[in-house]
Amino acid sequence: MATIFVNDTTIEIGDDEKLNCIQAADRAGVKIPFYCWHPGLSVVASCRMCLIETGTQDDEGSTQMVPKLVPACQTPAKHGTVIRTDSEKVKANQQFVQECLLVDHPIDCPICDQAGECWLQDYYFDYGHETRRADIQPFSSRRKDIGNHVSLFVDRCIMCSRCVRFTREISGSAELAVIQRGHHSEIDVVDGQTCDNKLSGNVVDICPVGALCSKDNLYQQRAWFLKSHSSICTSCSSGCSIVADENKQTIYRLRPRYNPNANDWWMCDIGRHGFKYVHDNDRLLHASCKDNGSQKRLDPEEIVPVLRETIAAVLEKHDASYFVAMFSPFLTCEEAFLLAKAIKNFSSEIRFALGPSPVDGEDETFANGFTIHSERAPNRCGVTEILKHFDAHFLSFETLLSDLQQDKCKTLFVTGGYPKSWWTTDLCEHFEKSETLIYHDIFDCSATKKAHLTIPGVTFAEKEGSYVNHALLFQTTDRIIRPRGECRGEGQLFWELLQRTGLYSASQVREELATEITFFSDIADSVPESGVFLGEKRPLNTRTKQDSLPGSISQPIPDPRRPDPRTVTG
């Protein structure tokens, strides 16, 4: 174990840990301010905000300090390292750096989208001079559209170069660069290119000030009005950990949440901007059933009784083997488990089928290894394992279509949750061959006009549960907003279909899941925020929630909702 001395605190770090002084000080509860450093990028030590006093203490207690200040981001913490962050010399440097940055910075905070989560604002209050000595000349920053989703406000830039390093080291597209020299240096795109790579939204996340802003939510909400929720991106099988920001039940942005087991610090633009369907006006918002050839609207409390009556009626009319329940790969593990138990309670002969997993092109891997998977479904692996437990010979989607053609399926219970209507004309023709269609999805389609029972579903943002990604990583997610209209969460619906009383509890169902299905046995204990790998034993990262959210040392991006992470203590 290496012993590190931070101000008046002594800490120990593992021999195999490679920390710089910023990270070591954070272990001791001391926050060192910085702009340019990011744990996922190369170190340039250019902002000079993290300069500290450092030295070495030998085993006899004798300390020898380095005469000059050194950048904490570039200085490794090793046995005997002494870190001083509270000396007058360090404080004077922080004040000078802040003053230098603000000399030419536009005073347009009232109209800046970064206001409320701007490190320049926060740091000046914490580390700057009490008064501004330079002449205050308010002016607005020059705005450039450098991509479909990114705007550059040139004069707000503090030249931390995070965005430049990101496009070179992570996306590999290298479209951003520092142009000009000295005082005239600024960020711009190279040779007329545009910042439109599929990871471009990350440059907005990592920008510590308001220089790079998202065009999608520009001037939409003030940061301090937003409420943050931990969630999982469901746009593909990667299962990126995210933070969803909402206000008054409307989602305004999704941002990556640090998870070394899934997505590290990043997320793709497909997932980042793929939540708009949650608020789509074309969503199904109420239930209905066929009544004398027309659709009759149902109240929410009528759905489960009518569903039970419909299932019981078709089982009296036809053999149970003619009943097929199709499980969507957008269901959570808990929902699929409850639905499987509920359906098998009616008859063990009812067959199961796995719904289609949309595929878009091929997997795309970037310079640092980040991959956007072509499979556009979040939980195929989890649903598949649950189906194996209840029906070892469950049908593929292609086999289901074949059975419909051959009249081997009289009753079809369809679950959906797809981000857009996936019922093509050909699919509708297949599904309409069933005598009884129970349709449970979030969007309407032509087949619903002939459905015996139509039930509105909810999106990923409106439910809690868990997903298993392509690498068999099991992760849990929280509900972000309330269900729209008369929609009810699938979990609550299937809970009541099992004739259970009270409210649906995802954690309670997870306990049952771990007990009954061997594949999920590793989730019997608590699931860390970074997830649990199933099916094989792998090292787990058990970082605490405090360490992995935006605004922490593990993920240093602006975030206004956390306790101030930048105040030096000790």
Side-chain angles (χ1 to χ4, degrees), residues 13-32:
I13 63 175
D15 293 330
D16 60 340
E17 291 188 276
K18 296 181 180 180
L19 306 181
N20 61 28
C21 288
I22 292 177
Q23 295 166 312
D26 184 65
R27 293 279 184 91
V30 175
K31 309 303 177 183
I32 298 176

Side-chain angles (χ1 to χ4, degrees), residues 161-351:
S161 78
R162 279 183 171 189
C163 58
V164 176
R165 284 174 282 151
F166 176 86
T167 58
R168 292 178 181 176
E169 301 166 12
I170 309 302
S171 67
S173 48
E175 63 266 52
L176 294 180
V178 178
I179 64 171
Q180 307 298 337
R181 293 188 178 187
H183 184 69
H184 300 287
S185 297
E186 61 183 51
I187 301 295
D188 204 350
V189 290
V190 178
D191 297 330
Q193 298 181 45
T194 56
C195 187
D196 284 329
N197 67 79
K198 293 182 180 179
L199 304 182
S200 65
N202 292 283
V203 300
V204 176
D205 295 329
I206 62 179
C207 182
V209 293
L212 291 167
C213 293
S214 171
K215 294 165 67 174
D216 291 78
N217 62 347
L218 193 65
Y219 307 132
Q220 296 297 308
Q221 280 286 306
R222 281 304 195 184
W224 51 83
F225 291 133
L226 297 174
K227 303 174 185 65
S228 296
H229 306 266
S230 295
S231 188
I232 305 296
C233 178
T234 59
S235 293
C236 80
S237 59
S238 295
C240 294
S241 297
I242 61 172
V243 170
D245 297 324
E246 59 85 16
N247 182 32
K248 296 181 179 179
Q249 304 304 306
T250 298
I251 300 173
Y252 287 94
R253 66 181 181 185
L254 302 183
R255 296 176 296 147
R257 173 167 53 89
Y258 175 63
N259 187 345
N261 293 332
N263 54 304
D264 286 333
W265 300 269
W266 325 114
M267 71 180 296
C268 72
D269 287 356
I270 297 171
R272 184 185 298 272
H273 306 297
F275 67 89
K276 306 295 176 62
Y277 73 94
V278 173
H279 305 293
D280 197 306
N281 291 328
D282 292 331
R283 280 186 54 185
L284 276 173
L285 299 179
H286 63 268
S288 61
C289 67
K290 185 178 288 187
D291 183 24
N292 295 324
S294 61
Q295 291 293 326
K296 171 189 173 183
R297 184 164 176 168
L298 295 175
D299 292 331
E301 59 271 14
E302 295 180 287
I303 296 175
V304 173
V306 173
L307 177 57
R308 294 188 64 84
E309 291 172 7
T310 302
I311 295 175
V314 297
L315 290 178
E316 287 183 6
K317 185 176 181 181
H318 297 292
D319 186 81
S321 62
Y322 284 94
F323 190 125
V324 178
M326 194 198 82
F327 287 68
S328 167
F330 284 83
L331 291 175
T332 66
C333 293
E334 294 84 355
E335 292 165 351
F337 179 73
L338 289 177
L339 177 59
K341 287 178 72 76
I343 294 297
K344 287 298 185 181
N345 276 355
F346 285 97
S347 173
S348 60
E349 300 301 315
I350 294 177
R351 296 183 295 160

Side-chain angles (χ1 to χ4, degrees), residues 546-558:
Q546 178 76 7
D547 286 336
S548 62
L549 285 177
S552 65
I553 292 298
S554 295
Q555 189 176 9
I557 64 175

